[in-house]
């Protein structure tokens, strides 16, 4: 939990661009995987062991905690890799490891590294919390618990003074936003059975996000389903009742999305940062919730629902296989130069066009994800230009530093392209 007593906001990082986006938008902590031993191993975005010192450096500079995810099932042939990775994490002075396998938990404790218990363990009661308190200081609750159940567990921790290895009371963490799985706390075997690609090894093929037809094997009759994506839940969103979550005693709120784009990380982190702060200072209102929801709807989502937290039964299914975001980005160019004295950025337009008044994203490993509106610009050294097209060199003023490796995107409505 943060020093101010507010809920700790934990954001996902799949690469350095997303990591910087999380830091810039107010994350208290970040979690990330390294190569193949995490629940997003199949994602194209994963760090390497050699990235750990730089991750640690950036985060320490902003007092952001760092959590390494090692939460897959582990086989004997993985053990040497696990030890090497944990040794490197310890050497880089990462804050903690998120784990589910006892081999990871035991070795982390052996080398003196803080452990957080993954939701894959499926903790649903106080006695299980007490058991894992022998090894861990923070525990992610099962996603199937209600706020009322979580509150009782938090109260019991306080009453019984359940402490972790650090000597502090165990802290409860929950998922607050992002993709939900049809399986109990993500323990799904569909992908393993159909593609020999295990979700529990971070290689889910997402069978549940596809369209299916039910066929009567005896008669051959096909049943048309009212909802074609009946195994694909809408995304979790708790911002509307975040005050209840804070009241329950939750200490860490986790945003799902290590496979998501940097603008997703930036937008969701910013919204929940503002919400957590508004709860702390007594300004949390429905009007603010409505505005945050509009922002959250702009980035990747399958529609939103409350999950199990308010007691509803599962049944709010996604209406389609992809995103319902109200905005999307299209690539239009790359960075060429930055003039620091005047804060002028120069880009080469490589696709589509750019006009004054357009909303743009500038993204890069050091820049993160920065959104702005183009107020004015120069095109091929001509002032007061209104439009730039492919092959034009465009310059405009920014409030942040831009790098030559940065990419320029235009934010548009989904039907535009």
């Amino acid at each position: 939990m943060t020093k101010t007593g507010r809920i700790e906001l934990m954001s996902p990082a799949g690469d350095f661009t997303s990591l910087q986006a999380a830091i810039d938008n107010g994350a208290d902590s970040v979690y990330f995987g390294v190569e193949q031993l995490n629940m997003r191993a199949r994602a194209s975005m994963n760090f390497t062991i050699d990235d750990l010192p730089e991750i640690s450096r950036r985060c320490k500079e902003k007092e952001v905690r760092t959590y390494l995810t090692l939460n897959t099932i582990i086989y004997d042939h993985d053990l040497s890799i696990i030890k090497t990775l944990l040794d490197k994490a310890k050497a880089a002075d990462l804050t903690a490891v998120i784990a589910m396998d006892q081999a990871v938990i035991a070795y982390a404790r052996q080398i003196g590294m803080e452990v957080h218990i993954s939701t894959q363990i499926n903790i649903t009661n106080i006695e299980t919390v007490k058991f894992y308190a022998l090894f861990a200081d923070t525990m992610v609750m099962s996603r199937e618990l209600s706020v009322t159940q979580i509150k009782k567990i938090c109260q019991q921790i306080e009453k019984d003074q359940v402490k972790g290895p650090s000597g502090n009371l165990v802290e409860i963490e929950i998922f607050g936003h992002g993709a939900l799985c049809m399986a109990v706390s993500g323990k799904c075997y569909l992908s393993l059975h159909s593609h020999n690609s295990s979700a529990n090894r971070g290689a889910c093929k997402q069978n549940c996000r596809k369209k299916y037809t039910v066929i009567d094997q005896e008669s051959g009759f096909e049943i048309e389903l009212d909802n074609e994506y009946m195994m694909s839940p809408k995304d979790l969103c708790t911002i509307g009742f975040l005050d209840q979550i804070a009241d329950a005693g939750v200490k860490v709120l986790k945003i799902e999305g290590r496979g998501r784009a940097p603008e997703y990380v930036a937008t969701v982190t910013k919204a929940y940062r503002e919400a957590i702060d508004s709860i702390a200072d007594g300004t949390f209102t429905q009007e603010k919730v409505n505005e945050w929801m509009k922002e959250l709807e702009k980035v990747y989502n399958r529609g939103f629902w409350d999950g199990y937290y308010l007691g509803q039964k599962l049944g709010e299914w996604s209406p389609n296989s992809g995103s319902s975001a109200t905005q999307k980005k299209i690539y239009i160019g790359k960075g060429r130069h930055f003039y620091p004295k005047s804060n002028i950025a120069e880009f080469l337009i490589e696709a589509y066009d750019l006009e004054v008044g357009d909303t743009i994203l500038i993204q890069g490993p050091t820049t993160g994800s920065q959104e702005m509106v183009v107020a004015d610009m120069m095109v091929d050294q001509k002032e007061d230009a209104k439009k730039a097209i492919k092959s034009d060199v465009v310059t405009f003023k920014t409030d942040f530093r831009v790098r030559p490796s940065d990419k320029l995107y235009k934010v548009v409505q989904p039907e535009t392209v």
Side-chain angles (χ1 to χ4, degrees):
M1 196 173 184
T2 60
K3 294 178 181 178
T4 61
R6 303 179 187 189
I7 293 177
E8 175 182 327
L9 178 60
M10 186 194 304
S11 295
D15 58 14
F16 278 113
T17 306
S18 293
L19 174 70
Q20 195 61 47
I23 294 171
D24 291 343
N25 286 279
D28 296 306
S29 57
V30 293
Y31 68 106
F32 47 89
V34 171
E35 295 166 355
Q36 296 304 305
L37 293 172
N38 69 92
M39 291 302 288
R40 290 293 181 272
R42 187 169 159 266
S44 60
M45 298 186 296
N46 267 308
F47 292 102
T48 69
I49 290 179
D50 293 337
D51 292 328
L52 295 181
E54 175 62 12
I55 294 170
S56 181
R57 184 196 67 78
R58 287 198 199 187
C59 290
K60 282 180 177 295
E61 193 174 85
K62 298 296 183 179
E63 298 185 342
V64 173
R65 284 176 283 282
T66 47
Y67 304 137
L68 173 67
T69 58
L70 268 174
N71 56 346
T72 63
I73 55 175
I74 302 300
Y75 296 115
D76 280 329
H77 66 262
D78 298 320
L79 293 176
S80 62
I81 301 172
I82 286 295
K83 292 179 179 180
T84 298
L85 183 50
L86 286 172
D87 286 340
K88 293 285 187 179
K90 177 70 174 177
D93 200 23
L94 300 187
T95 307
V97 59
I98 302 172
M100 67 165 288
D101 194 291
Q102 191 58 46
V104 179
I105 296 170
Y107 190 72
R109 295 305 309 145
Q110 180 181 325
I111 63 175
M113 192 168 187
E114 183 178 326
V115 173
H116 293 186
I117 298 298
S118 169
T119 190
Q120 303 299 120
I121 289 290
N122 198 32
I123 296 177
T124 56
N125 61 73
I126 185 61
E127 294 302 324
T128 306
V129 170
K130 289 179 178 178
F131 173 77
Y132 281 105
L134 297 170
F135 317 103
D137 292 289
T138 301
M139 302 181 197
V140 188
M141 294 295 97
S142 168
R143 301 185 193 189
E144 289 68 41
L145 291 180
S146 68
V147 172
T148 300
Q149 291 172 309
I150 293 168
K151 185 173 185 177
K152 288 180 179 178
I153 291 173
C154 292
Q155 290 173 336
Q156 203 66 41
I157 290 172
E158 183 72 34
K159 179 181 177 181
D160 296 346
Q161 291 292 289
V162 182
K163 297 180 179 179
S166 68
N168 298 319
L169 290 178
V170 166
E171 294 191 338
I172 294 303
E173 173 186 327
I174 68 169
F175 277 88
H177 191 92
L180 276 174
C181 180
M182 58 168 280
V184 175
S185 281
K187 294 187 180 70
C188 183
Y189 295 90
L190 281 178
S191 181
L192 178 64
H193 294 326
S194 64
H195 296 89
N196 195 29
S197 184
S198 175
N200 300 295
R201 291 280 286 178
C204 180
K205 295 290 188 181
Q206 297 203 328
N207 301 50
C208 59
R209 306 299 184 186
K210 299 176 181 178
K211 187 187 302 184
Y212 290 93
T213 301
V214 178
I215 301 176
D216 183 334
Q217 291 294 324
E218 292 184 4
S219 66
F221 178 72
E222 291 189 5
I223 301 174
E224 184 177 344
L225 303 174
D226 289 336
N227 189 313
E228 294 177 319
Y229 298 91
M230 51 81 64
M231 291 191 294
S232 179
K234 291 181 178 179
D235 286 357
L236 174 65
C237 180
T238 64
I239 205 161
F241 54 96
L242 200 56
D243 52 343
Q244 295 182 49
I245 289 173
D247 178 68
V250 170
K251 297 297 190 291
V252 186
L253 190 80
K254 187 175 193 172
I255 297 169
E256 187 276 339
R258 281 182 287 138
R260 296 281 174 253
E263 65 271 16
Y264 173 94
V265 176
T267 299
V268 179
T269 300
K270 185 174 186 290
Y272 278 87
R273 172 78 277 149
E274 292 175 359
I276 289 170
D277 291 347
S278 70
I279 291 169
D281 61 28
T283 61
F284 185 83
T285 64
Q286 186 59 48
E287 289 74 21
K288 286 188 174 182
V289 169
N290 294 341
E291 290 303 312
W292 292 321
M293 286 300 299
K294 290 178 183 177
E295 292 302 308
L296 295 172
E297 288 168 354
K298 291 179 180 179
V299 293
Y300 190 99
N301 70 86
R302 299 183 180 93
F304 296 123
W305 74 303
D306 303 331
Y308 300 90
Y309 289 133
L310 300 183
Q312 289 98 330
K313 294 180 180 179
L314 182 62
E316 294 198 29
W317 305 106
S318 175
N320 51 58
S321 62
S323 176
S324 299
T326 60
Q327 292 184 351
K328 66 178 293 184
K329 68 179 182 183
I330 55 172
Y331 175 80
I332 60 173
K334 63 182 179 182
R336 294 212 335 169
H337 193 70
F338 183 74
Y339 302 91
K341 291 184 179 180
S342 55
N343 279 354
I344 297 294
E346 180 180 284
F347 287 88
L348 172 65
I349 303 299
E350 295 187 316
Y352 298 99
D353 58 75
L354 178 67
E355 297 183 35
V356 170
D358 283 343
T359 299
I360 60 171
L361 283 170
I362 299 173
Q363 296 181 342
T366 305
T367 304
S369 181
Q370 302 287 348
E371 181 176 319
M372 61 172 283
V373 175
V374 179
D376 53 66
M377 62 183 179
M378 292 177 59
V379 176
D380 293 335
Q381 301 300 315
K382 296 178 182 178
E383 296 185 359
D384 299 321
K386 301 300 180 184
K387 184 176 182 179
I389 61 175
K390 185 177 179 180
S391 300
D392 283 346
V393 174
V394 59
T395 57
F396 49 81
K397 193 176 183 65
T398 66
D399 294 328
F400 48 89
R401 185 177 183 86
V402 174
R403 283 88 184 170
S405 60
D406 288 350
K407 294 180 180 179
L408 177 64
Y409 300 90
K410 183 162 67 171
V411 178
V412 299
Q413 300 302 307
E415 63 273 12
T416 302
V417 177

